Structure formats: structure tokens, C-alpha cells
């Protein structure tokens, strides 16, 4: 979710210059084992999705710079990589909006170019709050961790659209979730690992180096081989192939105060961030909001139209009408999310068809097999063989 930004100058109070960079803040398919309404005392704060039906998801161009810096540092020229993805060449206007899909794809290709599958994880470990400039200052000066995380959630739209950041606090644990809402933007492992590692780095700067989450969940399948790099970087058990990117922490951590107490500049920092948010905000897509709720529920519980409508404060009739106005339906959204996630996870050699079926919300592998034949014309195993044959042919 958080991207390590380049530094640029903005004016505040006419005489104060602040060097800062815009960050990539930091989470498809879940089916809660019980309706959210049955959970005890859950507090939820989420940033509305920002998406226009007439435009594709976007991200600020300055978020490319940390990736390009790593490429240059290893004696590669990023120019051809930028051309391959039809992205602007250096020098890059930091405020320019570029397609989010191209950014995600370039991040993946950069990891391949550098032969470093842990590129995003490493960049996230190196993340520091000063790289966020005004938002980093606000984060560090917040009264407690809850307020600091809510500041990240509140300003995600400044940097990228079609993205959901959500804080869910229960009785004993709290989840901080990051997810690109567009299920078609895959693979996106580097972006997810960078985002979650960056959030961990920010929290450690706020609470101290000894802080550690309880668990870290990733929606992508786990890479083959030794996974020690994850536990060393995140200091917690790691779970792959989950319904969403999720950082699980002790709820008591949210009330802990940070090291810094200088809040004198917060009003000026917030003013600039609000101005940027107004400039970048796009009309909300109702279908994208529904897609996010499907992603969070699918695979772990109740996934019914009435329950989703209720969470959005709508009757089932109004819910269906809103989707019809955007030329889609609840059934289509669930089907498309299941298919996209299933096809992504099934390609992982370490996963099983049974695990994929459960992740996308099917109780039996036979149901997934029938659905796969409808989607792709092949069974899951035949699909895997076909994909691997195609990959080998393209080498």
C-alpha cells in the first residue's frame, strides 16, 4: 500500500518549504463464517473507494521513482522498462496521474529484471516516515496509533484510486487491511508486500523497534522455497493465499502513544493534504464498493446479497437497482471475483485445488471444478497444465 516516494518541495505558510514525497498507502474474495453483525463490538473505519466508470484506476507518477532508483543502482537503464509500459520518461512530473495497472506491472517486471523476488519486501523494510513529508509528520505526531493509521486511511485517495484501506478493531485484535479493488490487476505481489512491509516500518517508527504484528496475511500465493525473508522482515507468522492483505495486531496497540509530541504544524500539513485530495477525488463507483465487500467476505463466511446490502445501509431492492444502473449484478460481481482469484491462485505450484476452492468460497472441490470448466473450458488441473505449457513456450 505504501510506496517509497521521491522527495519534492511544496510551500506552506508562504515561507516554509517542506520536502516530501507522496506515499503509496496501505487490503479477492471472502465469505465470513458468520455475518459481520454477529461480531462483538466491532469498530470499522474505511476510506470510500474512488473510481470513475469512465476512467481506469490511477496512481501518482512519483511512486515510480523508488523502483527506478533501485534499477539504476544495479546498473540497469529503466528507460526501456518505462517504454514497455507506455509510462513517462524521466524527469517525471511527481503529480502526474498514471494508470495503476501499469505501475503494478512495472513493479513485477522490475523484480524479474533484478532477479529479486523480494524487491517489494525490501523496499518496504527501508521505508521511513520522513519519506511521506507532511503525512509522515502527521503520522508521527498523532496522539496514538489509531489516529495515525486513520490518517493513512483518510488520505489514500491522494495517491491512488480503486484502493481500499480499512481499520477494523475488535475486542482483542485489530486488522489493518490494504487491497487494490480491481481484481483484474494481477499479479500484484510486489505492491502488496511493499505496502504491508511499509506499514510495519511506519508503526515501528511510531511505537519503537520492538513492535511486531500478530500475523500478516497476503492474498497472493506464497513463493516457492525458503520463506524466512518474510518472518525476518515482518517479525510475525505469514499466511499466503488469503482472501485479503491484512496486518493483524493487538487492539491495545491502537491506544499507545507515539514518540513525537510536536503537533504545531499539523493544521498546515492537513490543509495541503485536503487540497490534494479534492484535486484527485473521482466519482465513486458503487460496483467497486460492493466488490471490496465481496473480497473481504468471500471464502470465510456468509456471502448473501441481503447481508452485503445491509452493511451498505440499503434494502435488497435498492442494492440491486444501484448495481443495475452500473450495468452489472451482484451475481456477476461474485462470479468475476471468484474466477480472477481462483485463476491467480491455481497457478501456484505449492497450492492445492482444495485450498483454492475454500479460499474462493466453495465448500467442495467438485464445485470449483465445474465452475472452472464454465470459465475456462478446462478443469483446474487441465488449466494448470495449459498455463505451464504456455509459459514454457514463451521462455
Amino acid at each position: 500500500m505504501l510506496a517509497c516516494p521521491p522527495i519534492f518541495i511544496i510551500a506552506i505558510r508562504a515561507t516554509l518549504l517542506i520536502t516530501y514525497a507522496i506515499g503509496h498507502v496501505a487490503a479477492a474474495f471472502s465469505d465470513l463464517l458468520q455475518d459481520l453483525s454477529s461480531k462483538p463490538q466491532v469498530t470499522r473505519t474505511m476510506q470510500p473507494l474512488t473510481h470513475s466508470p469512465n476512467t481506469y484506476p490511477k496512481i501518482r507518477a512519483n511512486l515510480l521513482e523508488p523502483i527506478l532508483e533501485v534499477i539504476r543502482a544495479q546498473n540497469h537503464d529503466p528507460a526501456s522498462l518505462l517504454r514497455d509500459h507506455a509510462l513517462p520518461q524521466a524527469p517525471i512530473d511527481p503529480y502526474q496521474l498514471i494508470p495503476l495497472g501499469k505501475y503494478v506491472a512495472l513493479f513485477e517486471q522490475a523484480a524479474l529484471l533484478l532477479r529479486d523476488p523480494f524487491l517489494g519486501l525490501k523496499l518496504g523494510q527501508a521505508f521511513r516516515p520522513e519519506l511521506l513529508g507532511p503525512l509522515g509528520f502527521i503520522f508521527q505526531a498523532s496522539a496514538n496509533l489509531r489516529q495515525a493509521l486513520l490518517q493513512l486511511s483518510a488520505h489514500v485517495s491522494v495517491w491512488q484510486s480503486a484502493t481500499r484501506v480499512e481499520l477494523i478493531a475488535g475486542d482483542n485484535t485489530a486488522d489493518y487491511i490494504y487491497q487494490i479493488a480491481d481484481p483484474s490487476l494481477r499479479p500484484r505481489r510486489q505492491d502488496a508486500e511493499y505496502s504491508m512491509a511499509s506499514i510495519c516500518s511506519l508503526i515501528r517508527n511510531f511505537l519503537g523497534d520492538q513492535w511486531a504484528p500478530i500475523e500478516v496475511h497476503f492474498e497472493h500465493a506464497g513463493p516457492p522455497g525458503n520463506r524466512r525473508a518474510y518472518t525476518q522482515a515482518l517479525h510475525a507468522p505469514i499466511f499466503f493465499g488469503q482472501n485479503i492483505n491484512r496486518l493483524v495486531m493487538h487492539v491495545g496497540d491502537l491506544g499507545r502513544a507515539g514518540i513525537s509530541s510536536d503537533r504545531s504544524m499539523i493544521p498546515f500539513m492537513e490543509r495541503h493534504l485536503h487540497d490534494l485530495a479534492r484535486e484527485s477525488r473521482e466519482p465513486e463507483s458503487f460496483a467497486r464498493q460492493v466488490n471490496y465487500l465481496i473480497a473481504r467476505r468471500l471464502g470465510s463466511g456468509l456471502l448473501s446479497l441481503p447481508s452485503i446490502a445491509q452493511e451498505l445501509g440499503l434494502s435488497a431492492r435498492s442494492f440491486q437497482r444501484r448495481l443495475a444502473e452500473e450495468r452489472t449484478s451482484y451475481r456477476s460481481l461474485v462470479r468475476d471475483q471468484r474466477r480472477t482469484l481462483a485463476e491467480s491462485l491455481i497457478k501456484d505450484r505449492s497450492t492445492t485445488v482444495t485450498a483454492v476452492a475454500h479460499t474462493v468460497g466453495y465448500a467442495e472441490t467438485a464445485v470449483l471444478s465445474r465452475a472452472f470448466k464454465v470459465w475456462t473450458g478446462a478443469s483446474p488441473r487441465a488449466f494448470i497444465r495449459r498455463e505451464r505449457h504456455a509459459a514454457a513456450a514463451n521462455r
Side-chain angles (χ1 to χ4, degrees):
M1 168 198 93
L2 293 164
C4 177
I7 295 177
F8 59 93
I9 305 298
I10 64 171
I12 293 184
R13 275 183 167 176
T15 58
L16 177 63
L17 292 178
I18 298 176
T19 302
Y20 86 96
I22 293 173
H24 179 191
V25 182
F29 313 102
S30 70
D31 231 273
L32 296 176
L33 288 174
Q34 55 186 23
D35 197 349
L36 292 179
S37 60
S38 66
K39 279 193 172 183
Q41 302 298 318
V42 172
T43 301
R44 180 173 294 108
T45 303
M46 63 174 70
Q47 171 69 19
L49 291 173
T50 54
H51 168 74
S52 168
N54 298 320
T55 61
Y56 38 71
K58 297 176 181 177
I59 192 169
R60 297 284 182 179
N62 71 305
L63 301 181
L64 289 170
E65 193 57 35
I67 307 172
L68 303 183
E69 287 178 357
V70 173
I71 294 173
R72 296 187 191 103
Q74 298 194 29
N75 299 318
H76 293 280
D77 184 1
S80 61
L81 193 62
L82 292 169
R83 283 194 299 271
D84 289 344
H85 295 278
L87 290 169
Q89 297 285 326
I92 297 173
D93 175 1
Y95 281 102
Q96 181 178 353
L97 290 169
I98 62 173
L100 177 60
K102 292 183 181 297
Y103 166 83
V104 170
L106 183 141
F107 210 155
E108 296 293 326
Q109 191 170 344
L112 294 175
L113 174 67
L114 301 178
R115 297 182 180 179
D116 186 356
F118 303 111
L119 177 62
L121 192 68
K122 292 175 180 177
L123 287 176
Q125 283 183 268
F127 190 86
R128 293 294 179 266
E130 55 267 25
L131 296 173
L132 283 174
L135 184 52
F137 180 93
I138 292 174
F139 188 100
Q140 289 296 101
S142 295
N144 53 47
L145 181 60
R146 182 190 299 271
Q147 293 301 320
L149 292 174
L150 292 180
Q151 287 288 355
L152 293 183
S153 301
H155 296 291
V156 65
S157 62
V158 172
W159 297 296
Q160 70 182 64
S161 61
T163 301
R164 175 78 70 174
V165 178
E166 182 177 6
L167 177 64
I168 303 177
D171 287 343
N172 300 311
T173 62
D175 295 348
Y176 200 66
I177 293 169
Y178 166 77
Q179 185 191 36
I180 294 176
D182 189 338
S184 69
L185 299 185
R186 294 179 187 272
R188 54 196 190 197
R189 168 189 167 184
Q190 299 303 323
D191 173 79
E193 294 182 2
Y194 182 44
S195 299
M196 302 307 284
S198 295
I199 297 170
C200 284
S201 295
L202 278 173
I203 297 176
R204 290 192 185 109
N205 274 276
F206 187 80
L207 297 180
D209 292 338
Q210 300 306 309
W211 179 86
I214 300 173
E215 297 174 354
V216 179
H217 296 191
F218 288 113
E219 63 182 4
H220 55 272
N226 193 341
R227 301 182 184 181
R228 188 183 308 169
Y230 292 96
T231 54
Q232 289 178 340
L234 302 172
H235 307 292
I238 312 300
F239 297 88
F240 295 97
Q242 303 299 300
N243 62 305
I244 212 162
N245 300 310
R246 186 192 318 266
L247 187 70
V248 183
M249 66 189 81
H250 295 285
V251 72
D253 289 344
L254 298 180
R256 294 175 58 185
I259 299 171
S260 174
S261 60
D262 180 8
R263 310 192 58 173
S264 60
M265 287 301 299
I266 284 183
F268 302 98
M269 308 293 188
E270 287 181 335
R271 174 61 184 271
H272 184 69
L273 289 174
H274 288 314
D275 289 344
L276 286 175
R278 282 196 297 270
E279 293 172 4
S280 60
R281 185 168 292 123
E282 299 174 341
E284 182 180 45
S285 164
F286 184 69
R288 281 204 181 278
Q289 190 171 0
V290 173
N291 263 331
Y292 173 77
L293 296 178
I294 293 171
R296 179 154 50 78
R297 288 180 171 221
L298 204 152
S300 56
L302 180 63
L303 187 69
S304 67
L305 185 153
S307 67
I308 295 288
Q310 182 181 19
E311 184 164 352
L312 292 171
L314 296 172
S315 67
R317 185 184 297 273
S318 297
F319 177 85
Q320 290 173 305
R321 185 179 67 251
R322 291 281 300 275
L323 289 178
E325 289 172 354
E326 296 187 10
R327 298 184 179 181
T328 189
S329 68
Y330 180 68
R331 182 177 181 180
S332 295
L333 294 178
V334 172
R335 179 196 62 219
D336 292 346
Q337 292 235 32
R338 277 181 166 148
R339 174 177 181 172
T340 303
L341 182 59
E343 289 185 7
S344 175
L345 295 178
I346 205 73
K347 296 175 185 177
D348 175 31
R349 292 176 181 269
S350 65
T351 195
T352 65
V353 176
T354 299
V356 173
H358 290 166
T359 300
V360 302
Y362 291 132
E364 299 177 358
T365 57
V367 180
L368 175 64
S369 295
R370 288 195 296 270
F372 237 83
K373 288 182 179 179
V374 173
W375 298 334
T376 68
S379 68
R381 290 181 175 82
F383 176 82
I384 294 171
R385 290 193 296 270
R386 187 174 69 191
E387 290 296 307
R388 290 175 181 172
H389 178 75
N394 291 328
R395 288 173 185 170

